[in-house]
Amino acid sequence: MIDGLNKSGRKLHPENTIIQLGDTLIGNGNLTIIGGPCSVESEEQIIEIAKEIKKSGANILRGGAFKPRTSPYDFQGKKADGLKLLSLAKKETGLPIVSEIVALHHIDLFDDVDILQVGARNMQNFELLKELGKSKKPVLLKRGFSNTLKEFLYSAEYIMSNGNENVILCERGIRTFETWTRNTLDLSAVPLLKEISHLPVIVDPSHATGISSLVEPMSLAAVSSGADGIMIEVHNCPEKALSDGAQSIKPDAFRKIIEKSMKIKEIL
Ligand code: PEP
Ligand code: MN
């Protein structure tokens, strides 16, 4: 038992946490598939991608509206308008939506968003975590790229101890000495987190590798490692994407990953 994991630890809560969004369950033993663009760019873009991923069997649509970019000169997202377009795609497809929240005062803009994402850069933004603890909405908490698993679970505790126990953990790669990949996907994190914690664990192979050709093999490896789901960046035209085009895959490739992932899940 690790000290202080009062809410996220398995010791006091042996059974898995299952998160429910309408008919979508996360952490119930099925594989949850989240797909969508890095950034919401236009109505046509998000609606087209949403329809494609729905056809392929995805459960949840992702799309960034407030983008925490490394350079202030890069595309910062469509902000409130981006969230409105995401809502439109939700209405059109019936898919629940997940989007990143970067600041406390934006919370009212996220009324129609089903899952609030906390990005890697904000994993230890404790004031934000405490505030999300007062929300009833599930929080998808991404691991910071320089954070240990212990720090990751303490961040989950910040949300849970403030009243919101609906937390989904997301391994998205950590920074190592390797430079050929954007990050290094720490897959051993998946079974270890699941041993120590009852929270669902999903994997983001897109930000973990930064390379579109690695998304399929790492997705399959993630499923094999016992992940409860995968979150993949999908774009209808990756060459023209306003952010993260190099790691984005087309809807066709996404569909193939889902088909293969479901076969692996069956074997497991
Ligand atoms: C994202 O998922 O859009 C994102 C910015 O990822 P991360 O916080 O893991 O870098
Ligand atoms: Mn991205």
Side-chain angles (χ1 to χ4, degrees):
M1 172 68 175
I2 290 148
D3 285 345
L5 298 184
N6 304 358
K7 294 282 185 183
S8 63
R10 269 212 192 268
K11 196 160 179 197
L12 301 172
H13 187 305
E15 68 286 0
N16 287 333
T17 281
I18 298 173
I19 287 166
Q20 181 157 16
L21 298 167
D23 332 322
T24 307
L25 297 174
I26 307 167
N28 68 330
N30 286 336
L31 194 63
T32 301
I33 310 279
I34 308 175
C38 179
S39 301
V40 178
E41 298 172 4
S42 68
E43 180 172 339
E44 304 71 52
Q45 177 241 22
I46 193 68
I47 301 277
E48 186 180 327
I49 297 171
K51 284 182 174 165
E52 290 275 5
I53 68 153
K54 162 117 190 193
K55 247 198 310 185
S56 303
N59 310 104
I60 299 168
L61 173 67
R62 65 150 285 147
F66 290 90
K67 296 303 299 178
R69 304 304 300 283
T70 300
S71 162
Y73 307 115
D74 287 338
F75 176 59
Q76 301 286 306
K78 290 190 77 74
K79 308 190 173 77
D81 287 342
L83 292 175
K84 283 186 199 142
L85 296 177
L86 206 54
S87 279
L88 218 56
K90 170 178 171 175
K91 215 179 274 164
E92 191 82 24
T93 58
L95 288 173
I97 53 180
V98 55
S99 197
E100 176 166 354
I101 181 161
V102 294
L104 294 173
H105 65 274
H106 292 159
I107 189 85
D108 292 341
L109 299 172
F110 282 72
D111 269 351
D112 195 38
V113 174
D114 300 281
I115 303 178
L116 303 169
Q117 178 173 320
V118 175
R121 291 157 191 80
N122 273 316
M123 190 204 87
Q124 289 190 312
N125 182 340
F126 299 123
E127 293 307 313
L128 180 62
L129 300 179
K130 284 192 252 178
E131 206 58 34
L132 298 182
K134 296 180 197 152
S135 163
K136 292 280 159 280
K137 286 190 184 178
V139 175
L140 194 162
L141 178 66
K142 299 190 88 173
R143 180 182 182 181
F145 34 70
S146 297
N147 289 112
T148 64
L149 295 177
K150 190 172 174 181
E151 289 164 342
F152 192 15
L153 286 178
Y154 280 142
S155 287
E157 287 288 328
Y158 262 99
I159 302 167
M160 299 173 85
S161 61
N162 277 281
N164 185 354
E165 303 201 355
N166 295 313
V167 176
I168 304 154
L169 303 170
C170 178
E171 165 58 40
R172 47 78 72 210
I174 50 175
R175 188 164 280 180
T176 66
F177 51 78
E178 182 52 66
T179 56
W180 285 5
T181 49
R182 183 174 179 179
N183 292 284
T184 296
L185 179 55
D186 178 12
L187 268 191
S188 56
V190 176
L192 189 51
L193 284 169
K194 291 191 65 71
E195 228 173 88
I196 294 170
S197 171
H198 52 84
L199 296 173
V201 180
I202 69 163
V203 171
D204 170 353
S206 307
H207 292 89
T209 62
I211 302 172
S212 59
S213 63
L214 299 187
V215 171
E216 175 175 315
M218 291 303 97
S219 296
L220 303 183
V223 178
S224 307
S225 74
D228 295 290
I230 44 180
M231 176 158 84
I232 297 177
E233 285 189 341
V234 183
H235 200 286
N236 45 356
C237 189
E239 317 76 72
K240 297 226 174 92
L242 296 181
S243 59
D244 287 351
Q247 69 196 31
S248 298
I249 59 168
K250 290 192 174 169
D252 258 2
F254 180 67
R255 181 177 41 79
K256 287 182 192 137
I257 292 176
I258 298 185
E259 285 166 10
K260 290 186 187 176
S261 297
M262 291 306 171
K263 285 188 189 152
I264 292 178
K265 191 71 190 164
E266 255 173 54
I267 298 168
L268 296 177

